[in-house]
Amino acid sequence: MESINKGLDLIGQFIVEKLWAVLHQEGHVASGDLVNSLRYKVKEGGTGFEIVVIGKDYAESVEKGLPPGIWVSPYALADWIEAKGIATGEIEVKSLAFAIRQTIYDKGTIQFRKKKKGFIEVMLDDHSKQIFQMVLDLFTKEFRLSLINTIKKHQQTFRS
């Protein structure tokens, strides 16, 4: 089991690194909070193993966008505007933050309106085959090892 966990750790690390890369490529890095929050956990349960990716609470909004009718924080928007260097000065930043907030409430975010692929979907489009192959290789190797050890045990039992 330990080698499976180590293998899944490597796969989890690979997934998070690819998500970081896509966030940068897609221009979703302003303060770096989302990128820096992404991490993974390997969980083992009764039904098998799971790699869970964890990030800031707004990661899903970055992934899917927001539909109309949702008020976003003007403070978060102001921080984003300043981090992106879109505007400077308190009045200009606040004014733009409230204008963007109203547009999101009225129309939704661009991500949502244009049905753009989110960073997770882009990463999976680019790397799902590679991730699947990594998982397949890991479990094939572990199964083969387990089978060989079982056969050796039975051979020793029959020889005795």
Side-chain angles (χ1 to χ4, degrees):
M1 289 299 174
E2 188 177 322
S3 59
I4 289 176
N5 282 325
K6 284 181 183 178
L8 291 173
D9 272 337
L10 290 172
I11 295 166
Q13 185 178 347
F14 176 84
I15 290 169
V16 168
E17 287 173 2
K18 295 304 175 188
L19 288 171
W20 291 340
V22 172
L23 282 166
H24 283 281
Q25 291 164 4
E26 300 285 316
H28 290 302
V29 180
S31 66
D33 287 348
L34 177 57
V35 170
N36 294 331
S37 75
L38 292 179
R39 61 192 190 287
Y40 68 92
K41 228 188 255 190
V42 175
K43 292 184 175 184
E44 184 180 348
T47 57
F49 295 91
E50 190 176 20
I51 298 173
V52 179
V53 177
I54 303 158
K56 284 281 197 186
D57 58 348
Y58 60 87
E60 187 175 1
S61 297
V62 175
E63 169 68 11
K64 296 178 181 175
L66 294 172
I70 294 178
W71 288 113
V72 296
S73 165
Y75 304 107
L77 287 171
D79 290 345
W80 177 79
I81 289 165
E82 287 180 323
K84 285 283 199 179
I86 297 169
T88 56
E90 187 178 345
I91 293 172
E92 191 179 341
V93 169
K94 280 184 181 178
S95 177
L96 187 55
F98 279 98
I100 292 171
R101 179 180 193 229
Q102 187 65 51
T103 301
I104 291 171
Y105 183 82
D106 293 341
K107 300 177 181 177
T109 60
I110 292 171
Q111 183 85 10
F112 179 83
R113 289 192 315 259
K114 294 188 176 183
K115 294 180 180 20
K116 291 174 66 177
K117 288 183 178 184
F119 70 100
I120 297 169
E121 190 176 354
V122 169
M123 187 281 293
L124 288 172
D125 282 353
D126 292 347
H127 301 286
S128 62
K129 288 180 183 173
Q130 195 175 2
I131 293 166
F132 179 77
Q133 191 61 53
M134 292 166 80
V135 172
L136 184 63
D137 291 348
L138 172 65
F139 283 96
T140 300
K141 177 184 169 202
E142 287 304 312
F143 176 73
R144 200 176 308 133
L145 236 130
S146 177
L147 188 59
I148 290 169
N149 289 338
T150 302
I151 291 169
K152 284 181 182 177
K153 275 186 200 174
H154 286 295
Q155 284 175 341
Q156 289 173 355
T157 305
F158 291 126
R159 287 184 188 154
S160 305

